[in-house]
Amino acid sequence: MTEESLPKPPSRSAPRGTSAKQAPAKKGPKPPRGERPARPARPDRAKAEGAARPKREEAKGRPAADKRKAKTEARRGEERSSPSRMKRARLFREESAGSGRRGGETKPQSPRAEQPRPRSERTEEEPPRAHKAGEPQRIAKLLARAGVASRREVERMIAEGRIARDGAVIDTPATILTSLKGVTVDGKPVSAPAATRLFLFHKPPGFLTAAKDPAGRKTIYDRLPPGLPRLVPVGRLDLNTEGLLLLTNDGELKRQLELPSTGIERTYRARVFGDVTQERLETLIEGIEIEGMRYGPIDANLERRTGRNGWVEMKLTEGKNREVRRVLEHLGLQVSRLIRTAYGPFVLGDLPLGAVGEVPQHDLVTFRKTLR
């Protein structure tokens, strides 16, 4: 093989991967900068330039960050202005008042019920409307205001024929009177209503909240000190429940304090035995149904725990019969002691067992202004 038949190596000046025969042709001299022709723009890029670029800038720029910041500030504002747990529970109860017990479907309302009720012209600083002297009222309300008994008890007394006026027995609680002049109960005249008074009583365990007991058991009136006016209890405490019990000489005030619609909060402390967690107690905030009985929202907190023994604080606004005990027993807990520590703004505090303290008159007036 001669040197002429051997293939020539590729030229060093040619690009890698190409032979000297395939080397690109050299371009001519470049025109000056000012004389270069403008590069034609691609039509599809020119069309999308006005829409795509603003979207990329919006995605990478301030608008998205400002939107996230606005959402964060709104959420924090809602947290700061959110009501307490008991208020949220009250709103939940009011919203679900028309819902079914089991199905959860809202009952259809009549067109009249859907219409908003007119707001009262009375401001929050003004006290609730009081009946003027000489204004016609039902006899049950007048006797309750005089401290004879509650309205329901007065109606029972009327049915039993124990109430009369000018010697004639009153046979209907719908009797309208302007005063109690000539009215007698069990043959004794009824005096004019005295000034409203409210007392705090530290009820000991083992006493019934009743005027008398057919079985002969002791009642709270056997423990009250002498010299007090005729008082009626606000609500009831079980035989073995101790703590704060309100007493008043005004049957109308008694009724206002007992109604769940006023939203007055009752606070209890229970000593329990059993396994319980705070997470399980917090489920009571939405209410609970036990054996067909529906109980409203309860704010329950586990104060302290030693082994299987612990103290639970419970706040509620209804106060049904044995409500606290039944709810705790439903959770598998045994209640060994139950104390009511507060009723609305009135606190048991350091009041000794079996002692009585009177609420100052100016505090009572201020409190009655807040009642709905």
Side-chain angles (χ1 to χ4, degrees):
M1 183 178 295
T2 61
E3 294 181 0
E4 296 178 356
S5 61
L6 293 176
K8 294 182 180 181
S11 175
R12 294 183 181 180
S13 61
R16 183 178 297 178
T18 61
S19 62
K21 296 180 180 181
Q22 298 174 350
K26 294 183 180 180
K27 297 181 179 180
K30 294 183 179 180
R33 183 176 296 272
E35 298 178 3
R36 290 183 182 179
R39 181 179 296 179
R42 287 181 293 181
D44 55 344
R45 184 174 181 179
K47 182 183 294 185
E49 184 176 329
R53 185 172 298 174
K55 290 184 179 179
R56 287 198 301 269
E57 292 178 357
E58 182 179 353
K60 298 181 181 179
R62 296 288 301 175
D66 293 343
K67 190 179 298 183
R68 290 193 300 269
K69 185 177 180 181
K71 289 183 179 180
T72 303
E73 292 179 355
R75 184 175 66 253
R76 290 177 180 175
E78 292 177 359
E79 292 176 355
R80 287 193 297 267
S81 61
S82 62
S84 63
R85 294 174 66 186
M86 290 301 294
K87 289 183 179 179
R88 289 199 306 270
R90 193 176 304 133
L91 294 174
F92 172 81
R93 184 175 68 252
E94 292 176 356
E95 292 176 358
S96 60
S99 62
R101 297 296 186 190
R102 301 181 183 276
E105 298 180 356
T106 305
K107 295 181 180 179
Q109 296 181 348
S110 62
R112 182 177 181 181
E114 295 177 357
Q115 296 177 359
R117 299 179 61 184
R119 295 184 60 183
S120 173
E121 298 179 357
R122 177 175 60 86
T123 60
E124 295 182 357
E125 291 76 11
E126 297 176 357
R129 179 183 179 274
H131 291 280
K132 299 179 181 179
E135 184 178 354
Q137 302 179 53
R138 292 167 63 97
I139 187 173
K141 188 170 186 178
L142 287 173
L143 290 175
R145 174 66 182 84
V148 174
S150 64
R151 293 188 186 183
R152 188 173 299 178
E153 292 174 354
V154 169
E155 292 175 357
R156 283 198 296 263
M157 296 168 68
I158 292 175
E160 296 171 358
R162 299 169 55 188
I163 300 177
R165 185 189 185 200
D166 297 333
V169 177
I170 297 177
D171 57 356
T172 173
T175 303
I176 303 298
L177 301 176
T178 57
S179 68
L180 294 175
K181 183 178 180 180
V183 177
T184 59
V185 177
D186 296 333
K188 299 179 181 179
V190 180
S191 57
T196 301
R197 301 173 70 181
L198 185 65
F199 296 85
L200 311 180
F201 174 52
H202 190 166
K203 175 191 173 298
F207 289 84
L208 285 176
T209 308
K212 62 179 72 173
D213 180 47
R217 291 173 294 182
K218 293 183 178 180
T219 68
I220 58 173
Y221 294 99
D222 297 327
R223 186 64 187 266
L224 291 176
L228 294 175
R230 186 186 184 282
L231 301 174
V232 290
V234 177
R236 295 178 181 273
L237 290 178
D238 297 338
L239 178 66
N240 295 321
T241 302
E242 56 187 291
L244 180 62
L245 181 65
L246 299 182
L247 305 171
T248 180
N249 64 338
D250 189 341
E252 183 64 21
L253 176 61
K254 164 187 166 69
R255 178 175 174 273
Q256 286 181 309
L257 293 173
E258 292 176 345
L259 286 176
S261 59
T262 56
I264 299 178
E265 192 174 79
R266 291 92 154 159
T267 305
Y268 296 84
R269 293 183 70 242
R271 185 172 62 190
V272 299
F273 175 78
D275 297 326
V276 63
T277 61
Q278 179 62 33
E279 290 76 11
R280 192 175 185 188
L281 291 175
E282 288 180 355
T283 60
L284 299 177
I285 198 63
E286 297 181 358
I288 188 172
E289 184 173 346
I290 303 174
E291 298 179 357
M293 175 66 70
R294 181 70 184 178
Y295 297 100
I298 301 176
D299 185 5
N301 295 284
L302 184 61
E303 290 187 342
R304 64 175 182 266
R305 181 177 177 181
T306 306
R308 300 189 67 190
N309 295 283
W311 283 91
V312 177
E313 182 188 60
M314 304 182 70
K315 298 180 181 180
L316 53 149
T317 58
E318 285 185 342
K320 294 180 180 177
N321 185 28
R322 299 179 60 84
E323 178 173 354
V324 175
R325 293 181 182 272
R326 293 192 65 186
V327 170
L328 292 176
E329 290 172 358
H330 180 74
L331 298 180
L333 302 174
Q334 300 178 13
V335 181
S336 58
R337 190 179 180 187
L338 184 59
I339 310 170
R340 182 196 278 168
T341 59
Y343 198 107
F346 309 110
V347 183
L348 181 63
D350 299 330
L351 188 66
L353 188 68
V356 176
E358 184 173 4
V359 177
Q361 196 63 219
H362 63 277
D363 292 343
L364 179 58
V365 172
T366 303
F367 170 69
R368 297 197 73 173
K369 291 180 180 179
T370 64
L371 293 178
R372 293 182 289 180

